[in-house]
Amino acid sequence: MFSISKETLRINGEIRAREVRVTDAQGEQLGIMSTRDALRKAEEAHLDLVEVAPKAKPPVCRIMDFGKYRYEQQKREKEAKKKQKVISVKEVKLRPGIETHDFNFKVKNAMRFIAEGNKVKATIMFRGRELSHPEMGKELLLKVAEAMKDAVTVEREPKLEGKNMIMILAPKVQTKGGNTNAKN
């Protein structure tokens, strides 16, 4: 179909130009004529006169069913919105002294988030004296990344921010062959 500028469209009586270049509903050029004559032609066809290129000299107008055009445009936008994939960031919070079972449970949840197509923000929360040993938190985050290495890529390496150490993991992008890291 044809493209119309996203600015607010002027239709029928809103068109201010004295002369306009007119195309009919089938896309054929009707030539340059006065706005009054163009409006008359649109009314005869029981359609609207829509200014599609207001910055052109003279402005270009098209004779079309404006209501139908707007409906189809909204339908296309809605369809495009359906096809979009919204990626959210899910958070898994850990502590430096976490036990094995709790660690495995957190990794399992993170894997579920990755399987859903979301990114995972792994956070180590330090309290009190734990902050004097940030290397323990970094080891723990690297252990999380190692446990999930088949399904994720590390988008952001572990970094200390205040009393928290944060690492962001993203799902691995599948190639068409299905093998994500082919080594030849």
Side-chain angles (χ1 to χ4, degrees), residues 19-32:
E19 285 188 332
V20 292
R21 181 179 304 274
V22 182
T23 57
D24 65 5
Q26 288 74 36
E28 294 177 30
Q29 294 282 336
L30 299 180
I32 297 172

Side-chain angles (χ1 to χ4, degrees), residues 153-172:
T153 55
V154 177
E155 194 171 270
R156 190 167 128 198
E157 293 293 326
K159 184 178 175 187
L160 191 63
E161 293 180 359
K163 292 186 176 186
N164 297 329
M165 186 174 280
I166 296 168
M167 176 177 69
I168 296 178
L169 304 167
K172 271 190 181 172

Side-chain angles (χ1 to χ4, degrees), residues 92-148:
V92 175
K93 291 186 177 184
L94 307 157
R95 299 276 316 199
I98 192 168
E99 295 294 321
T100 308
H101 176 267
D102 295 332
F103 174 80
N104 292 336
F105 184 76
K106 297 285 187 174
V107 168
K108 185 176 150 190
N109 279 340
M111 286 298 283
R112 183 170 48 92
F113 296 148
I114 291 291
E116 292 170 0
N118 298 311
K119 292 182 180 182
V120 174
K121 177 180 173 182
T123 305
I124 303 280
M125 301 178 297
F126 294 103
R127 276 199 222 142
R129 291 185 202 146
E130 293 171 344
L131 201 53
S132 62
H133 297 287
E135 66 279 356
M136 289 174 58
K138 188 170 186 171
E139 281 177 31
L140 191 58
L141 285 176
L142 294 175
K143 190 175 166 186
V144 169
E146 182 63 29
M148 299 172 66

